[in-house]
mmCIF file of all heavy atoms in Angstrom:
data_model
loop_
_atom_site.group_PDB
_atom_site.id
_atom_site.type_symbol
_atom_site.label_atom_id
_atom_site.label_comp_id
_atom_site.label_asym_id
_atom_site.label_seq_id
_atom_site.Cartn_x
_atom_site.Cartn_y
_atom_site.Cartn_z
ATOM 1 N N LYS A 320 15.051 33.894 5.190
ATOM 2 C CA LYS A 320 15.169 32.521 5.708
ATOM 3 C C LYS A 320 13.829 31.790 5.608
ATOM 4 O O LYS A 320 13.774 30.594 5.322
ATOM 5 C CB LYS A 320 15.667 32.547 7.155
ATOM 6 C CG LYS A 320 17.143 32.905 7.283
ATOM 7 C CD LYS A 320 17.510 33.314 8.701
ATOM 8 C CE LYS A 320 17.291 32.213 9.696
ATOM 9 N NZ LYS A 320 17.749 32.615 11.052
ATOM 10 N N LYS A 321 12.730 32.532 5.833
ATOM 11 C CA LYS A 321 11.410 31.909 5.710
ATOM 12 C C LYS A 321 11.054 31.647 4.248
ATOM 13 O O LYS A 321 10.356 30.691 3.932
ATOM 14 C CB LYS A 321 10.357 32.803 6.360
ATOM 15 C CG LYS A 321 10.457 32.875 7.873
ATOM 16 C CD LYS A 321 9.317 33.703 8.452
ATOM 17 C CE LYS A 321 9.382 33.731 9.978
ATOM 18 N NZ LYS A 321 8.270 34.517 10.559
ATOM 19 N N VAL A 322 11.516 32.516 3.351
ATOM 20 C CA VAL A 322 11.192 32.364 1.934
ATOM 21 C C VAL A 322 11.985 31.234 1.305
ATOM 22 O O VAL A 322 11.427 30.353 0.637
ATOM 23 C CB VAL A 322 11.455 33.688 1.182
ATOM 24 C CG1 VAL A 322 11.253 33.494 -0.326
ATOM 25 C CG2 VAL A 322 10.533 34.792 1.699
ATOM 26 N N TYR A 323 13.296 31.238 1.500
ATOM 27 C CA TYR A 323 14.165 30.288 0.809
ATOM 28 C C TYR A 323 14.677 29.157 1.693
ATOM 29 O O TYR A 323 15.096 28.120 1.177
ATOM 30 C CB TYR A 323 15.374 31.022 0.223
ATOM 31 C CG TYR A 323 15.026 32.007 -0.865
ATOM 32 C CD1 TYR A 323 15.207 33.372 -0.670
ATOM 33 C CD2 TYR A 323 14.523 31.572 -2.076
ATOM 34 C CE1 TYR A 323 14.899 34.289 -1.667
ATOM 35 C CE2 TYR A 323 14.208 32.480 -3.090
ATOM 36 C CZ TYR A 323 14.395 33.828 -2.877
ATOM 37 O OH TYR A 323 14.089 34.729 -3.868
ATOM 38 N N GLY A 324 14.696 29.382 3.009
ATOM 39 C CA GLY A 324 15.269 28.403 3.911
ATOM 40 C C GLY A 324 16.725 28.727 4.215
ATOM 41 O O GLY A 324 17.463 29.184 3.335
ATOM 42 N N SER A 325 17.145 28.476 5.446
ATOM 43 C CA SER A 325 18.509 28.806 5.866
ATOM 44 C C SER A 325 19.550 28.032 5.077
ATOM 45 O O SER A 325 20.604 28.564 4.694
ATOM 46 C CB SER A 325 18.675 28.517 7.371
ATOM 47 O OG SER A 325 17.801 29.309 8.142
ATOM 48 N N GLU A 326 19.260 26.758 4.806
ATOM 49 C CA GLU A 326 20.243 25.921 4.127
ATOM 50 C C GLU A 326 20.537 26.434 2.725
ATOM 51 O O GLU A 326 21.700 26.514 2.301
ATOM 52 C CB GLU A 326 19.738 24.480 4.055
ATOM 53 C CG GLU A 326 20.741 23.514 3.444
ATOM 54 C CD GLU A 326 20.240 22.083 3.463
ATOM 55 O OE1 GLU A 326 19.174 21.823 4.056
ATOM 56 O OE2 GLU A 326 20.935 21.212 2.892
ATOM 57 N N ALA A 327 19.502 26.810 1.990
ATOM 58 C CA ALA A 327 19.703 27.300 0.622
ATOM 59 C C ALA A 327 20.499 28.595 0.612
ATOM 60 O O ALA A 327 21.398 28.788 -0.220
ATOM 61 C CB ALA A 327 18.348 27.499 -0.055
ATOM 62 N N ILE A 328 20.200 29.504 1.540
ATOM 63 C CA ILE A 328 20.905 30.782 1.590
ATOM 64 C C ILE A 328 22.371 30.570 1.955
ATOM 65 O O ILE A 328 23.274 31.153 1.339
ATOM 66 C CB ILE A 328 20.217 31.730 2.592
ATOM 67 C CG1 ILE A 328 18.819 32.099 2.085
ATOM 68 C CG2 ILE A 328 21.052 32.989 2.808
ATOM 69 C CD1 ILE A 328 18.028 32.948 3.049
ATOM 70 N N ASP A 329 22.632 29.722 2.957
ATOM 71 C CA ASP A 329 24.016 29.479 3.369
ATOM 72 C C ASP A 329 24.820 28.800 2.273
ATOM 73 O O ASP A 329 25.998 29.112 2.072
ATOM 74 C CB ASP A 329 24.038 28.639 4.646
ATOM 75 C CG ASP A 329 23.631 29.437 5.880
ATOM 76 O OD1 ASP A 329 23.714 30.672 5.830
ATOM 77 O OD2 ASP A 329 23.215 28.824 6.879
ATOM 78 N N GLU A 330 24.211 27.874 1.565
ATOM 79 C CA GLU A 330 24.921 27.199 0.481
ATOM 80 C C GLU A 330 25.298 28.183 -0.613
ATOM 81 O O GLU A 330 26.378 28.099 -1.192
ATOM 82 C CB GLU A 330 24.062 26.062 -0.086
ATOM 83 C CG GLU A 330 23.947 24.856 0.830
ATOM 84 C CD GLU A 330 25.289 24.214 1.115
ATOM 85 O OE1 GLU A 330 26.119 24.128 0.184
ATOM 86 O OE2 GLU A 330 25.521 23.812 2.273
ATOM 87 N N ARG A 331 24.412 29.113 -0.906
ATOM 88 C CA ARG A 331 24.722 30.125 -1.913
ATOM 89 C C ARG A 331 25.837 31.047 -1.427
ATOM 90 O O ARG A 331 26.716 31.429 -2.195
ATOM 91 C CB ARG A 331 23.466 30.930 -2.231
ATOM 92 C CG ARG A 331 22.359 30.149 -2.936
ATOM 93 C CD ARG A 331 22.763 29.831 -4.348
ATOM 94 N NE ARG A 331 22.936 31.028 -5.122
ATOM 95 C CZ ARG A 331 22.132 31.402 -6.123
ATOM 96 N NH1 ARG A 331 21.113 30.636 -6.469
ATOM 97 N NH2 ARG A 331 22.364 32.511 -6.795
#
Side-chain angles (χ1 to χ4, degrees):
K320 287 164 62 176
K321 290 184 178 181
V322 174
Y323 295 113
S325 298
E326 184 177 354
I328 294 176
D329 286 339
E330 287 299 321
R331 293 290 297 249

